[in-house]
Amino acid sequence: MKKYKRNQRIGALMKIFAEKPNYVFSYNYFSEIFNAAKSTISEDVSIVRELVSELNYGRIETISGAAGGAVFIPVMNMDEKNKILMELCQLFSHKNRILPGGFIYLTDIFNNPGIVTNIASVISSEFSDTKIDCIITVETKGIPVAILTGQKLNVPVAVIRRNNKVTEGATVSINYVSGSSNNIQTMSLSRRSLKENSRVLIIDDFMKGGGTCKGMADMMREFNAEVVGTAVVIETKVPEKKLVDNYLSLLVMDGINDKEGLIEIKPNNKLLK
Amino acid sequence: MKKYKRNQRIGALMKIFAEKPNYVFSYNYFSEIFNAAKSTISEDVSIVRELVSELNYGRIETISGAAGGAVFIPVMNMDEKNKILMELCQLFSHKNRILPGGFIYLTDIFNNPGIVTNIASVISSEFSDTKIDCIITVETKGIPVAILTGQKLNVPVAVIRRNNKVTEGATVSINYVSGSSNNIQTMSLSRRSLKENSRVLIIDDFMKGGGTCKGMADMMREFNAEVVGTAVVIETKVPEKKLVDNYLSLLVMDGINDKEGLIEIKPNNKLLK
């Protein structure tokens, strides 16, 4: 069987950790892959732990004992977070995004895996110390953010639908009032998609009045789930009072100046403290 | 400024490559991060290239010259592909997935980032030599597969909607005939979401008659786009003749035995040659 050099094992370990953050790998698993003794693997993991810390990538936690293993918990440093948020502001504020009626075209951004991976990295960093069982979102534009945050946090996602589908099995449906337009809308979630008593993180792309996030929180009560966090990519500054409390937004939109074609958007200061 | 040891740089390089596959990083970028001479970086990349090759992770390609750089192209080896496909078959075939009317509940699988990352790795490996500008899918269940494949291939995604939204700007809509049910349905794609003359990869979760994929291909003509590939996660064995040719499926479903509660599903043999 093949043997590998130390720096090959270090590189491979870092690849494995980076591709599956927040996943606990056993030392046995690494021993088999690298055809190396557990003591060797243990030294390798120490080196990786040091490099992750020195390069500000987050932290490696080790679990000792017979079922011992190691997990990579990425946590973004302030400089990187700041850089990503400023890049997002630039992207979102471009004047040719303004559509008739004061709407903003954001679909390309929310469907760009590279950009959304950055968004997901910021959100997952903020919740890296929170125990989360499942991420909840509502179709359609929030799905990529939810999926890529789920990838970073190593948790499944449940997608609330706007209408019932035969392929969802038994569903729970609720009506909710859209915060901004006062319309009554319906959302449905498959019974099978969320275990009772889960700790959930609610994710959405955009928050104006907060009605959709409140609707999702109400839905969670039907599943006896506990909402341990709510994250949105953009919130509007107005109305200042939303229908939900304790949410995290990445960016705050001051307003659209339709005449001059300006979108005023800036990072949420709370994230940069 | 901080200096790093070789095995720290190797680990960090592998992390950077793994988190952004198919992205060309310049040597300058690495030089700045690691505070090291280009010649040193060049040696580091050689070591990484060798380890990627020895561990069967795919390949590192280097681009020489002033604008020199390096890119990690993950290509799955046959053993790993086989393992993932067998795991997927197990997951998909579980008898408690059968819903009334012979439908199958698959939503939890398609919203699980860990599982979909594996699916995306198989698809992106198959298309690692194809030049692709954009991935196309239709809402809702195929979105995570499209986004995570886009992440692996480093290309944007365009999501076709079932109905028009004000936030999409000008859209192109077409009617298409669902292959299995013969219903006429509508799909819309935002004009802004796809550049003219793009080379696109069509992705969907499930193919029975092939009507949806054919609809997407028809839509592509409206954008002067060239369909360079079509990938679906599951196809049904019947009907054998689909409305599209030249598609790749990961799994083939033989049928559902509703009485005995069995779902017969197996890997597409073409992938394992």
Side-chain angles (χ1 to χ4, degrees):
Chain A
M1 260 188 89
K2 231 181 203 174
K3 288 271 181 190
Y4 300 97
K5 287 174 226 153
R6 168 141 281 157
N7 61 23
Q8 291 184 319
R9 291 196 307 269
I10 302 295
L13 276 173
M14 203 57 244
K15 172 186 184 283
I16 293 167
F17 282 131
E19 287 181 345
K20 260 191 156 179
N22 283 293
Y23 181 93
V24 180
F25 291 96
S26 73
Y27 286 140
N28 282 336
Y29 172 77
F30 293 136
S31 273
E32 279 173 32
I33 293 180
F34 300 129
N35 185 29
K38 261 198 193 175
S39 54
T40 311
I41 298 296
S42 182
E43 284 167 34
D44 293 344
V45 170
S46 291
I47 294 168
V48 171
R49 184 170 48 197
E50 203 186 300
L51 96 82
V52 163
S53 154
E54 283 205 22
L55 280 136
N56 269 318
Y57 290 154
R59 61 183 189 272
I60 301 278
E61 283 183 6
T62 52
I63 294 114
S64 55
V71 52
F72 170 43
I73 300 163
V75 184
M76 203 170 256
N77 63 67
M78 199 55 81
D79 284 353
E80 212 184 335
K81 206 192 292 174
N82 192 30
K83 197 176 141 240
I84 285 177
L85 293 178
M86 295 314 292
E87 279 172 7
L88 287 174
C89 283
Q90 274 220 309
L91 267 168
F92 279 106
S93 64
H94 205 286
K95 62 187 257 186
N96 68 10
R97 298 198 165 277
I98 299 179
L99 298 172
F103 294 99
I104 311 178
Y105 180 75
L106 303 171
T107 309
D108 59 332
I109 296 177
F110 285 118
N111 287 330
N112 186 308
I115 299 168
V116 180
T117 297
N118 284 343
I119 291 172
S121 296
V122 176
I123 297 174
S124 58
S125 286
E126 296 299 314
F127 290 95
S128 64
D129 292 325
T130 309
K131 193 191 166 298
I132 292 165
D133 299 312
C134 191
I135 288 173
I136 307 291
T137 192
V138 62
E139 61 182 346
T140 301
K141 280 220 289 285
I143 296 175
V145 181
I147 289 289
L148 290 171
T149 307
Q151 186 188 50
K152 295 278 175 202
L153 292 172
N154 187 33
V155 295
V157 176
V159 178
I160 296 175
R161 310 287 299 247
R162 298 287 184 183
N163 37 40
N164 259 313
K165 299 276 171 188
V166 285
T167 51
E168 299 280 311
T171 56
V172 175
S173 294
I174 64 159
N175 296 313
Y176 70 102
V177 181
S178 158
S180 42
S181 63
N182 260 323
N183 284 336
I184 290 187
Q185 301 194 36
T186 305
M187 44 170 84
S188 302
L189 182 59
S190 168
R191 267 248 158 264
R192 294 176 184 227
S193 64
L194 182 63
K195 287 197 193 86
E196 293 265 319
N197 303 312
S198 292
R199 291 167 59 89
V200 304
L201 170 63
I202 289 175
I203 287 187
D204 208 3
D205 52 335
F206 197 88
M207 184 190 284
K208 195 172 175 186
T212 307
C213 281
K214 183 169 183 302
M216 286 195 262
D218 289 345
M219 173 75 91
M220 289 306 99
R221 275 207 296 276
E222 302 299 320
F223 286 82
N224 289 319
E226 184 187 350
V227 179
V228 296
T230 300
V232 298
V233 183
I234 308 176
E235 67 165 316
T236 55
K237 203 177 175 186
V238 179
E240 212 170 308
K241 183 81 192 122
K242 312 288 190 200
L243 293 173
V244 286
D245 307 314
N246 296 324
Y247 60 91
L248 174 90
S249 68
L250 267 50
L251 308 174
V252 181
M253 198 176 74
D254 268 9
I256 305 176
N257 185 326
D258 207 353
K259 258 191 192 155
E260 290 177 41
L262 291 173
I263 301 170
E264 283 157 17
I265 197 162
K266 56 187 184 196
N268 181 353
N269 281 327
K270 282 180 220 158
L271 280 172
L272 298 173
K273 272 171 199 160
Chain B
M1 259 189 90
K2 231 181 201 173
K3 286 271 182 190
Y4 300 97
K5 287 176 225 150
R6 168 142 282 156
N7 60 24
Q8 292 184 318
R9 291 195 307 269
I10 301 297
L13 276 172
M14 203 58 244
K15 173 187 183 283
I16 293 166
F17 282 131
E19 288 181 344
K20 260 190 156 179
N22 282 293
Y23 181 93
V24 181
F25 291 96
S26 74
Y27 285 140
N28 281 337
Y29 173 76
F30 292 136
S31 273
E32 278 173 33
I33 292 180
F34 300 129
N35 185 28
K38 262 197 193 174
S39 54
T40 310
I41 298 296
S42 182
E43 284 168 33
D44 294 343
V45 170
S46 292
I47 294 169
V48 171
R49 183 169 50 198
E50 203 186 302
L51 95 82
V52 163
S53 155
E54 284 206 22
L55 279 137
N56 269 319
Y57 290 153
R59 61 184 189 272
I60 300 277
E61 283 183 5
T62 51
I63 295 114
S64 54
V71 53
F72 170 42
I73 301 163
V75 184
M76 204 171 257
N77 62 68
M78 199 54 82
D79 284 352
E80 212 184 337
K81 206 192 291 174
N82 192 29
K83 198 177 140 237
I84 285 177
L85 293 178
M86 295 314 291
E87 281 171 5
L88 288 174
C89 283
Q90 274 220 308
L91 267 169
F92 279 106
S93 64
H94 206 286
K95 61 187 259 185
N96 68 11
R97 297 198 165 277
I98 299 179
L99 297 172
F103 293 100
I104 312 178
Y105 179 75
L106 303 171
T107 310
D108 59 333
I109 296 176
F110 286 119
N111 286 331
N112 185 308
I115 299 168
V116 180
T117 297
N118 285 342
I119 291 172
S121 296
V122 176
I123 296 174
S124 58
S125 286
E126 296 299 314
F127 290 96
S128 63
D129 293 324
T130 308
K131 192 191 166 300
I132 292 165
D133 299 312
C134 191
I135 288 173
I136 306 292
T137 192
V138 62
E139 63 180 344
T140 300
K141 280 222 289 285
I143 296 175
V145 181
I147 288 288
L148 290 171
T149 307
Q151 187 187 49
K152 295 278 175 202
L153 292 172
N154 187 33
V155 295
V157 176
V159 178
I160 296 174
R161 309 288 298 247
R162 296 289 182 181
N163 36 39
N164 259 313
K165 299 277 171 188
V166 284
T167 50
E168 298 279 314
T171 57
V172 175
S173 295
I174 64 158
N175 295 313
Y176 71 101
V177 182
S178 159
S180 41
S181 63
N182 259 325
N183 285 335
I184 291 187
Q185 301 194 37
T186 306
M187 44 169 86
S188 302
L189 182 58
S190 168
R191 267 247 158 264
R192 293 176 185 227
S193 64
L194 182 64
K195 288 197 192 85
E196 293 264 318
N197 303 311
S198 292
R199 292 167 59 89
V200 304
L201 170 63
I202 289 174
I203 286 187
D204 208 2
D205 53 335
F206 197 88
M207 184 191 285
K208 194 173 176 185
T212 307
C213 281
K214 184 170 183 302
M216 287 194 264
D218 288 347
M219 173 73 92
M220 289 305 99
R221 276 206 297 276
E222 302 299 321
F223 286 81
N224 290 319
E226 183 187 351
V227 178
V228 295
T230 301
V232 297
V233 183
I234 308 177
E235 67 165 315
T236 55
K237 203 176 175 185
V238 179
E240 213 170 307
K241 183 81 192 123
K242 312 289 189 199
L243 293 173
V244 286
D245 307 314
N246 297 324
Y247 60 92
L248 174 90
S249 69
L250 267 50
L251 308 174
V252 182
M253 197 174 74
D254 267 10
I256 305 177
N257 186 325
D258 208 353
K259 258 191 193 156
E260 292 177 39
L262 292 172
I263 302 169
E264 283 157 16
I265 197 161
K266 55 189 187 196
N268 181 353
N269 281 327
K270 280 180 221 156
L271 281 173
L272 299 173
K273 270 171 200 160

